[in-house]
Amino acid sequence: MVHEHWKAWMKIIWTTILLATSLADFTTECQRPCDCRWQSGNKAAICSNSSLRSIPANLSNDIQILDLSNNNLLTLHQEGFNKVGLSNLKKLFLKECNIDTVHKTAFATLAIMIELDLSRNRIRNLHPDTFKGTEKLRLINLSNNLIDILEDGVFRNLKFLQKVEVSNNKIVKIGTKAFSNLPQLKILRFDGNSLTHMKPETLMALHNLSGLDLHNNPWRCDCNLQTFRDWVITHNLYTAPTACAEPSTVKDKLWNELDSSSFACRPTILEPIPDAKVRSYDENVTLICKVVGNPTPEVIWKYNNRIIETRAFGEIRYVVTENTMDLIRWVNLSIINVRYSDRGNYTCIAENPGGRDEKTLTLILSKYGSVGTILGLDTDTFAILVGCLTAVILICGAVLGVCYFTTQNNESKRLIKTDTSSNGDILIENSVASELEKGQKPEVNPVVKPPRKHEAPLSLTSEATEMSELNRTLLDNESMLSK
Ligand SMILES: *[C@@H]1O[C@H](CO)[C@@H](O)[C@H](O)[C@H]1NC(C)=O
Ligand SMILES: *[C@@H]1O[C@H](CO)[C@@H](O)[C@H](O)[C@H]1NC(C)=O
Ligand SMILES: *[C@@H]1O[C@H](CO)[C@@H](O)[C@H](O)[C@H]1NC(C)=O
Ligand SMILES: *[C@@H]1O[C@H](CO)[C@@H](O)[C@H](O)[C@H]1NC(C)=O
Ligand SMILES: *[C@@H]1O[C@H](CO)[C@@H](O)[C@H](O)[C@H]1NC(C)=O
Ligand SMILES: *[C@@H]1O[C@H](CO)[C@@H](O)[C@H](O)[C@H]1NC(C)=O
Ligand SMILES: *[C@@H]1O[C@H](CO)[C@@H](O)[C@H](O)[C@H]1NC(C)=O
């Protein structure tokens, strides 16, 4: 009995001593300015509001909570916590420490850390491996820093991560893989940054996300943001007052006040270029309108400020061909059998919910078709020239015809008389003549038809076809005058 009592007493004494020494260990090793105490069952070292320039070196290895807030650490060096023997940290507070540089292995050895507060520092960038070794992290607070980019992979594979705050930084870009494989992530705060757009795939894989703060960013509410916006709204992740900053048509409108279709990209006409001039000598002219815009814009053509009706009655004057490939839309206007009266200003107008764009081109046509312009003559000179040429051709034709007819008649008469005294040329002529006589076709007029075809020089032939064109244009002009 006595023996057993003694044993029990010894046990109690031993535990008390052990406890006392361990207590003494963790608190007595604590040096100014730190204050070491128990905090919700953890050994805590509170070293805040001092002027520490480095991580205190003589803290117990057992410290689980370290508060270094409001010091002047400037840089977190390579394995900085490991070097002072702190590898059992669960919570680390480094708020307001003037930190501007975080070495990629600064936290690498803190394998059981669950909470990290780096807020109110001057951190500009985070290496994608910063949180590689801290797989137990549940909360990361990076608010009020100067981070501009969250790179791919920076928060990857943190299986227990529930909350990330990156409010009030300068973020313009978030890598689409910055938040990959984070099954528990529930709360994300990006408010107060410089985000204008967000790719939907950046966050769409976060199935447990239930809180997302995006307000106070200069969101550009166009077609590039539409899918993300729709995802936010349909997943009940919208928080007021997330609003648009651009484009001007939706400035200051809240995301949930706007229709999805308002998130559109204003059309831009790439062709025609401003104040384009099109010269044409062809029968049909095609005017090109090349537009980008999302959603696909409606495109119309106007001629001198009147909408061109392509389904006009009677003669088809206009044919519109269009197609859309990716985001580029072509709407080409072909004018069939161009007349001089078709000259003027043609405007392509493209419109979608994002806005509209228009470009005007001037169609320049030569009054007398192509040749005059090619020769570099003005239209009046060309008309006179064509007139003169026509007269000359007609006169020559007539003269030639008369000559031919008379000589031919004389020749045949002469040949019939002097049959035997012949040379080759005459023989051939003779046979032609005799055939002519044999055929007995006096009604065939050799003056007008066949000789012109092969006797007229090439240039004249082409002039002759010009003639018919000239006639046509003149007719057009008359019809124009009569209008
Ligand atoms: C440190 O200062 C902040 C305010 O600057 C104060 O809220 C906090 O309680 C102080 N902490 C300690 C341990 O004195
Ligand atoms: C910390 O402890 C080491 C020995 O472990 C000692 O040399 C050093 O002076 C101590 N530093 C401070 C600041 O007390
Ligand atoms: C993160 O830090 C900011 C700024 O210090 C603070 O306002 C916010 O409450 C912190 N968030 C959490 C979850 O601790
Ligand atoms: C969401 O979190 C719960 C635990 O909170 C977890 O069981 C579940 O697998 C998570 N869902 C997804 C899609 O990861
Ligand atoms: C002009 O267009 C009409 C109608 O499409 C076509 O029949 C004609 O062949 C075209 N002319 C030229 C020179 O392409
Ligand atoms: C419009 O004209 C351009 C330039 O000739 C051409 O590349 C495009 O395929 C045309 N589009 C259509 C629909 O005809
Ligand atoms: C066509 O546009 C030009 C300027 O772009 C203008 O000077 C001209 O008067 C316009 N012509 C017609 C017929 O509207």
Side-chain angles (χ1 to χ4, degrees), residues 23-63:
L23 256 178
D25 262 9
F26 127 77
T27 48
T28 52
E29 272 181 45
C30 203
Q31 282 162 0
R32 277 201 327 127
C34 298
D35 169 22
C36 300
R37 50 181 135 107
W38 288 93
Q39 204 177 71
S40 51
N42 291 302
K43 293 171 185 174
I46 314 299
C47 317
S48 53
N49 299 355
S50 308
S51 306
L52 290 173
R53 309 197 63 159
S54 56
I55 305 159
N58 291 32
L59 292 171
S60 158
N61 295 355
D62 299 334
I63 294 293

Side-chain angles (χ1 to χ4, degrees), residues 346-363:
Y346 289 82
T347 307
C348 174
I349 300 166
E351 193 162 12
N352 74 4
R356 61 178 259 149
D357 191 16
E358 63 171 69
K359 293 274 160 58
T360 297
L361 64 79
T362 307
L363 179 62

Side-chain angles (χ1 to χ4, degrees), residues 282-287 303 308-320 332-343 346 363 365 472 476 479-480 483:
D282 297 333
E283 189 180 333
N284 304 333
V285 181
T286 298
L287 306 176
Y303 170 55
I308 291 176
E309 292 294 344
T310 49
R311 283 182 202 159
F313 293 104
E315 188 193 6
I316 295 170
R317 295 300 327 285
Y318 301 108
V319 175
V320 170
N332 296 352
L333 174 72
S334 295
I335 308 168
I336 308 300
N337 289 324
V338 175
R339 302 161 184 166
Y340 183 57
S341 58
D342 288 325
R343 72 195 186 282
Y346 289 82
L363 179 62
L365 296 168
R472 190 160 53 77
D476 276 348
S479 63
M480 204 180 67
K483 270 178 198 167

